């Protein structure tokens, strides 16, 4: 049913026949679900699980859109203003953009042409480009980067090293954020979960960011995309600056959101993790303007 709905929506978009068919932007927002979970492969057709997993990742391209209630909670926790420049570097169909205070200040990059077409239809005032995050070079820097990057894809870097996709997303965000800008990113629960084996990755993050906190998400958060029981977490980081106080080191303790998403939880995240960092960002912006 998901696959059929996706194909119908894309056909209507390509023929510019949505209005004639009575299909609204709200219909598209609620029904288009992307490629996640639609690989159609069988484990029995592969020699081992690793081969099956690699083939599945290639077809899905890590495309599991962020559920709107989670997007809404994250945006609410960040208390964005209508002057903040906000980017999603792998924006999919643009679910985060739905909750931003100013669509004109939204920037997105998406490699999949179908998801990009949906995002452009839903958010025509946003600055959305189709392309690979590794080639994305917008002519501006951002106050906030929000994202749910593809997980565990192995990408070759210009220096021939290999890096997992969700870690690369964080490093790209560090490059594109303003000093003291804030990153909110959804990652696998296994990311930076071991102080010994992940020591190098933790140091790489700490060299660019001050750690603000993290939240364990419900294991069913992505069940609408056909994924249930996969542990994920939401991390908050602030880009380091020469003018900032001592940076906070990474801590593995997490807030638990197993009960779902609510305005009360967004307020708790804001007061415990975001508010001091956001005040630093505002002070720095005012200093630059002066």
């Amino acid at each position: 049913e998901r696959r059929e709905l996706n194909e119908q929506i894309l056909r209507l978009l390509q023929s510019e026949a949505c209005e004639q068919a009575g299909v609204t932007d709200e219909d598209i927002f609620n029904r288009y679900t992307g490629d996640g979970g639609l690989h159609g492969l069988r484990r029995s057709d592969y020699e081992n699980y690793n081969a099956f997993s690699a083939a599945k990742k290639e077809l899905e391209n890590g495309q599991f859109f962020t559920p709107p209630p989670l997007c809404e909670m994250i945006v609410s926790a960040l208390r964005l203003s209508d002057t903040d420049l906000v980017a999603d570097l792998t924006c999919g169909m643009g679910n985060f953009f739905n909750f931003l205070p100013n669509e004109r200040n939204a920037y997105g990059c998406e490699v999949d042409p179908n998801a990009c077409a949906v995002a452009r239809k839903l958010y025509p005032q946003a600055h959305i480009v189709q392309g690979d995050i590794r080639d994305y070079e917008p002519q501006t820097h951002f106050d906030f980067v929000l994202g749910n990057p593809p997980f565990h894809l192995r990408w070759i870097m210009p220096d021939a090293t290999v890096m997992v996709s969700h870690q690369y997303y964080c490093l790209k965000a560090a490059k594109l954020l303003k000093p003291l800008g804030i990153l909110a990113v959804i990652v696998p629960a296994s990311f930076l979960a071991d102080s010994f084996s992940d020591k190098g990755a933790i140091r790489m993050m700490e060299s660019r960011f001050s750690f603000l906190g993290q939240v364990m998400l419900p294991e069913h958060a992505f069940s609408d995309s056909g994924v249930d029981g996969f542990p994920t977490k939401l991390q908050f980081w602030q880009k380091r600056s020469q003018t900032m106080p001592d940076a906070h080191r990474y801590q593995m303790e997490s807030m638990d959101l197993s009960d779902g998403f609510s305005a009360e939880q967004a307020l708790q995240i804001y007061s415990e993790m975001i508010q001091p960092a956001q005040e630093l960002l505002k002070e720095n912006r005012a200093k630059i303007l002066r």
Side-chain angles (χ1 to χ4, degrees):
E1 182 181 356
R2 282 182 56 212
R3 189 190 304 278
E4 183 178 344
L5 280 169
N6 286 348
E7 291 173 352
Q8 288 176 355
I9 289 169
L10 292 172
R11 283 198 300 271
L12 289 171
L13 282 176
Q14 289 164 2
S15 60
E16 299 182 349
C18 291
E19 292 185 6
Q20 293 173 302
V23 174
T24 66
D25 289 355
E26 184 178 2
D27 293 329
I28 296 172
F29 178 80
N30 289 328
R31 297 300 185 93
Y32 188 75
T33 55
D35 296 333
L38 298 181
H39 51 81
L41 304 178
R42 294 182 300 179
R43 164 67 181 87
S44 57
D45 292 335
Y46 293 84
E47 293 182 4
N48 52 55
Y49 181 78
N50 284 339
F52 169 68
S53 179
K56 185 162 65 75
K57 288 175 186 176
E58 184 176 351
L59 287 174
E60 294 174 329
N61 206 28
Q63 192 179 89
F64 295 90
F65 297 149
T66 315
L70 177 54
C71 293
E72 184 175 20
M73 189 204 70
I74 293 172
V75 172
S76 178
L78 294 174
R79 301 288 182 91
L80 302 174
S81 75
D82 59 4
T83 60
D84 288 323
L85 297 180
V86 184
D88 183 347
L89 310 180
T90 54
C91 68
M93 61 178 284
N95 282 357
F96 278 109
F97 299 160
N98 190 62
F99 304 98
L100 300 184
N102 186 355
E103 185 181 309
R104 294 182 180 87
N105 284 347
Y107 290 73
C109 176
E110 173 54 41
V111 70
D112 174 40
N114 293 332
C116 188
V118 173
R120 285 172 169 166
K121 173 70 168 66
L122 296 180
Y123 311 103
Q125 296 178 329
H127 309 270
I128 300 170
V129 301
Q130 184 196 337
D132 194 303
I133 180 179
R134 290 167 286 185
D135 302 320
Y136 184 48
E137 298 294 341
Q139 301 304 306
T140 188
H141 285 77
F142 305 107
D143 299 290
F144 294 85
V145 171
L146 321 179
N148 171 28
F151 297 167
H152 297 303
L153 302 183
R154 298 178 67 81
W155 288 346
I156 300 175
M157 299 298 104
D159 62 359
T161 59
V162 177
M163 185 177 295
V164 291
S165 48
H166 47 277
Q167 183 175 354
Y168 177 83
Y169 188 98
C170 296
L171 302 187
K172 184 76 172 190
K175 179 181 177 183
L176 296 179
L177 281 166
K178 298 176 182 177
L180 301 176
I182 294 172
L183 167 66
V185 61
I186 298 168
V187 293
S190 58
F191 181 55
L192 310 184
D194 188 302
S195 59
F196 181 73
S197 61
D198 294 332
K199 188 175 182 179
I202 291 171
R203 284 181 175 174
M204 188 180 294
M205 292 294 291
E206 289 179 336
S207 69
R208 294 163 171 81
F209 293 101
S210 175
F211 181 65
L212 301 180
Q214 62 184 354
V215 180
M216 291 301 298
L217 300 177
E219 291 194 356
H220 61 270
F222 290 86
S223 58
D224 286 349
S225 296
V227 177
D228 214 353
F230 185 81
T232 56
K233 60 187 177 184
L234 168 64
Q235 293 187 332
F236 297 97
W237 301 83
Q238 183 167 35
K239 183 175 178 178
R240 297 185 66 161
S241 166
Q242 294 179 347
T243 61
M244 79 183 308
D246 292 339
H248 298 291
R249 301 187 64 125
Y250 177 67
Q251 302 291 327
M252 295 191 185
E253 291 78 11
S254 304
M255 183 188 295
D256 187 7
L257 284 189
S258 56
D259 294 333
F261 316 120
S262 67
E264 291 77 14
Q265 289 165 329
L267 178 60
Q268 183 181 2
I269 292 171
Y270 172 73
S271 59
E272 294 184 13
M273 302 181 190
I274 306 302
Q275 187 173 13
Q278 193 177 63
E279 289 174 357
L280 281 176
L281 175 61
K282 290 178 179 178
E283 288 172 10
N284 189 61
R285 187 159 55 187
K287 186 185 301 182
I288 292 171
L289 288 173
R290 288 196 298 272

